[in-house]
Amino acid sequence: MSEAILEQLARTLEERKQASPESSYVASLYAKGLDAILKKIGEEATETVMAAKDGVDEKIVYEVADLWFHTLVLLAHQGLGPDSVLTELARRTGISGIEEKARREQ
């Protein structure tokens, strides 16, 4: 189910690239460019932190969904998709975080 949702959302985000900015929130973000998308991700990350501090599960889930959504918008804007991230996460599976960080610093 989770992968199907990501695939559908990725398709919709690609379709919005052809939509009029007046007809679609995502199309309006694309039209505003990378800085607007990054600003929105920053806002959603802050709201996620605040929701976590509040400790209300429903608020946390809601804000993380917003953060993930806008991150997917960024990926689509850059010509990437959720599969790129899933592949990277799969690559890291079974590797300790300490080991992974050490590999990046080499």
Side-chain angles (χ1 to χ4, degrees):
M1 179 174 125
S2 300
E3 283 187 49
I5 292 169
L6 284 175
E7 289 171 12
Q8 176 59 47
L9 186 51
R11 280 192 301 274
T12 299
L13 293 175
E14 282 300 315
E15 291 169 4
R16 294 300 187 264
K17 288 180 178 180
Q18 308 307 316
S20 163
E22 293 80 31
S23 70
S24 163
Y25 168 72
V26 172
S28 73
L29 279 178
Y30 289 147
K32 292 175 188 172
L34 181 61
D35 286 347
I37 296 167
L38 296 175
K39 180 179 178 188
K40 194 62 186 171
I41 290 172
E43 290 171 8
E44 297 303 342
T46 300
E47 290 172 5
T48 299
V49 169
M50 292 171 24
K53 293 289 277 181
D54 290 345
V56 178
D57 291 350
E58 293 80 15
K59 288 172 77 174
I60 295 168
V61 169
Y62 183 88
E63 294 303 341
V64 169
D66 279 354
L67 179 58
W68 284 14
F69 176 82
H70 287 90
T71 302
L72 290 168
V73 171
L74 169 65
L75 288 171
H77 183 267
Q78 298 298 103
L80 301 166
D83 284 345
S84 301
V85 177
L86 294 173
T87 298
E88 176 60 15
L89 289 172
R91 185 192 66 77
R92 296 181 187 187
T93 300
I95 301 172
S96 81
I98 294 169
E99 183 182 341
E100 170 61 24
K101 185 174 181 184
R103 286 182 184 179
R104 283 185 271 152
E105 293 174 354
Q106 294 176 355

